[in-house]
C-alpha cells in the first residue's frame, strides 16, 4: 500500500471541506442543495478513507517493532472514534437541503466545529503519523 494514496485522500477531503466552507460563506440557504450534495460526497470519501485506515493502515502500524510507531498509531486510532461520531451526527442531521435551510445558524456553527476538527486531524496525520508510516516497507 502506498503512503501517497493516503496523502491523496487527505488532499481530496480538504478540497471538499474548502468547497463547503466557501458555499457556507457565500450563502447557506441559497446554496443548501449544493451544500447537501457536497456534504454527502464528503461523507462517502471520509468513510472510504477511514475504512482503509482501519483495515490496512492501523493494523500494520500497531504490529510495528518500533514502540513509538505503535504508541502513536494506537493513540490516533483511539482519538478517531469520537471525531467520527461527531462528524456522522452532523452529516446525518444535515443530509438534506431542507435540513440545512431550516437550521441555517445551527448548521453554520456545527459545520465550523466539525470541519475545523477534521482539518486539524488531517494536518496532524500528515505531519506526524504518515511520515512515520512512510518509513515502513509496507507503505513504500
Amino acid at each position: 500500500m502506498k503512503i501517497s494514496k493516503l496523502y491523496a485522500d487527505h488532499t481530496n477531503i480538504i478540497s471538499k471541506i474548502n468547497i463547503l466552507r466557501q458555499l457556507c460563506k457565500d450563502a447557506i440557504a441559497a446554496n443548501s442543495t449544493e451544500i447537501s450534495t457536497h456534504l454527502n460526497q464528503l461523507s462517502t470519501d471520509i468513510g472510504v478513507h477511514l475504512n482503509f485506515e482501519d483495515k490496512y493502515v492501523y493494523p500494520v502500524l500497531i504490529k510495528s517493532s518500533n514502540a513509538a510507531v505503535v504508541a502513536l498509531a494506537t493513540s490516533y486510532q483511539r482519538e478517531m472514534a469520537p471525531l467520527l461520531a461527531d462528524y456522522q451526527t452532523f452529516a446525518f442531521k444535515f443530509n438534506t437541503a431542507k435540513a440545512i435551510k431550516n437550521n441555517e445558524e445551527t448548521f453554520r456553527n456545527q459545520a465550523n466545529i466539525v470541519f475545523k476538527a477534521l482539518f486539524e486531524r488531517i494536518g496532524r496525520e500528515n505531519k506526524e503519523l504518515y511520515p512515520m508510516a512512510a518509513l515502513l516497507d509496507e507503505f513504500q
Side-chain angles (χ1 to χ4, degrees):
M1 98 191 72
K2 297 254 184 211
I3 196 74
S4 59
K5 181 216 182 302
L6 299 170
Y7 282 114
D9 286 353
H10 280 180
T11 299
N12 178 51
I13 290 167
I14 292 296
S15 175
K16 287 189 173 154
I17 290 171
N18 287 335
I19 290 168
L20 283 161
R21 283 182 165 166
Q22 187 60 52
L23 288 169
C24 291
K25 183 179 174 186
D26 292 343
I28 290 175
N31 293 325
S32 61
T33 299
E34 196 172 354
I35 290 169
S36 69
T37 298
H38 283 284
L39 185 60
N40 288 316
Q41 290 172 350
L42 177 63
S43 296
T44 299
D45 291 350
I46 287 172
V48 168
H49 178 74
L50 293 178
N51 187 47
F52 184 81
E53 283 186 336
D54 282 344
K55 285 187 176 182
Y56 302 105
V57 176
Y58 289 117
V60 168
L61 296 176
I62 290 170
K63 290 178 186 173
S64 172
S65 61
N66 183 322
V69 171
V70 173
L72 190 63
T74 302
S75 173
Y76 268 74
Q77 190 175 36
R78 201 174 304 128
E79 288 173 9
M80 194 61 222
L83 176 58
L84 179 58
D86 289 347
Y87 177 80
Q88 288 174 328
T89 298
F90 164 77
F92 182 76
K93 182 176 183 178
F94 296 109
N95 66 348
T96 66
K98 182 178 179 182
I100 294 167
K101 194 181 289 190
N102 290 344
N103 300 287
E104 188 174 343
E105 198 56 36
T106 302
F107 174 82
R108 179 187 318 280
N109 293 335
Q110 290 182 7
N112 285 334
I113 292 166
V114 169
F115 294 156
K116 181 181 179 194
L118 286 171
F119 187 82
E120 289 174 353
R121 170 61 185 236
I122 287 170
R124 286 181 45 232
E125 285 184 358
N126 285 350
K127 289 178 185 167
E128 297 173 358
L129 186 66
Y130 289 177
M132 282 186 133
L135 299 174
L136 303 175
D137 289 339
E138 293 87 348
F139 295 95
Q140 299 304 311

